[in-house]
Amino acid sequence: MLFRGKHDINYLKKLNKELVERVVGEKITYYPISKKFTTKNIYGEAKDKIFDPPVEVYALVKWGDQEVTTTNFGQDIIYNISAYILDDTLTTIDLRPTEGDMVEYDSKHFEITSIMFPRQMLGKEEEGFYVRLECTTVRKNVFHTSISGSPEAAARTRPDNNLSSTFRYSDVLFPYSGSAA
């Protein structure tokens, strides 16, 4: 089989990364839930979520259908997006998406409702390529940006900064210091 060796797959991954970061250049702000500081009830649910410092991530974003409902109080519009993030990008910053994490895009806040890990590139099962996050808007009163650390420390995770190979996203965790807002 032609063009299916490790060298060819790495070359395609490099091309995709350049396309996403330099040509498209779309970014989402990712707010991972802090497992260390968020308290859960006996059902595994958290009333108040505390987030680790946010990170901007290059992604391809596709708008989905919007749902409009009308009640006695007016219209309620729910937006849906699919965010595609390259596996190599997530590995570089040591970020593991989970359902319930929040994403900010186009001045709207979204909650991740499902995550898909397609695992085939050129038909090779073991080759990861991207992660697809299905997200739905949340009301402004649902998303409170209580951050587990100082907001200044989160600036180190911006994608425009050169990340060293020793940098890991988990390096920016700090004791809870309150809200960043």
Side-chain angles (χ1 to χ4, degrees), residues 14-150:
K14 181 181 173 184
L15 286 177
N16 283 314
K17 183 173 181 165
E18 188 170 328
L19 174 72
V20 170
E21 293 181 4
R22 295 186 182 191
V23 177
V24 177
E26 274 185 317
K27 300 175 192 175
I28 60 172
T29 305
Y30 191 96
Y31 292 85
I33 295 174
S34 173
K35 293 182 176 104
K36 184 175 181 180
F37 297 107
T38 301
T39 56
K40 299 177 186 175
N41 61 18
I42 59 173
Y43 303 108
E45 301 167 341
K47 181 180 177 189
D48 296 316
K49 297 177 183 177
I50 297 175
F51 298 93
D52 287 337
V55 59
E56 283 187 338
V57 180
Y58 285 106
L60 297 175
V61 180
K62 177 184 169 190
W63 286 94
D65 295 332
Q66 65 185 25
E67 302 166 20
V68 180
T69 56
T70 305
T71 65
N72 294 339
F73 302 107
Q75 283 190 332
D76 191 17
I77 301 173
I78 298 173
Y79 297 97
N80 298 299
I81 61 169
S82 297
Y84 298 85
I85 305 173
L86 296 174
D87 271 350
D88 291 347
T89 302
L90 294 173
T91 302
T92 301
I93 60 176
D94 196 23
L95 182 64
R96 305 280 181 262
T98 56
E99 291 180 6
D101 288 352
M102 300 297 237
V103 170
E104 183 179 352
Y105 178 73
D106 194 28
S107 301
K108 293 176 179 50
H109 292 99
F110 297 86
E111 181 177 13
I112 298 173
T113 55
S114 71
I115 301 170
M116 301 180 123
F117 296 93
R119 286 288 175 210
Q120 287 191 346
M121 177 182 232
L122 298 175
K124 293 195 135 210
E125 292 180 20
E126 65 275 357
E127 288 300 329
F129 178 51
Y130 66 90
V131 175
R132 185 173 88 193
L133 309 175
E134 295 294 331
C135 309
T136 302
T137 52
V138 295
R139 296 181 187 274
K140 289 182 180 182
N141 62 350
V142 172
F143 181 70
H144 303 286
T145 53
S146 298
I147 307 293
S148 65
S150 66

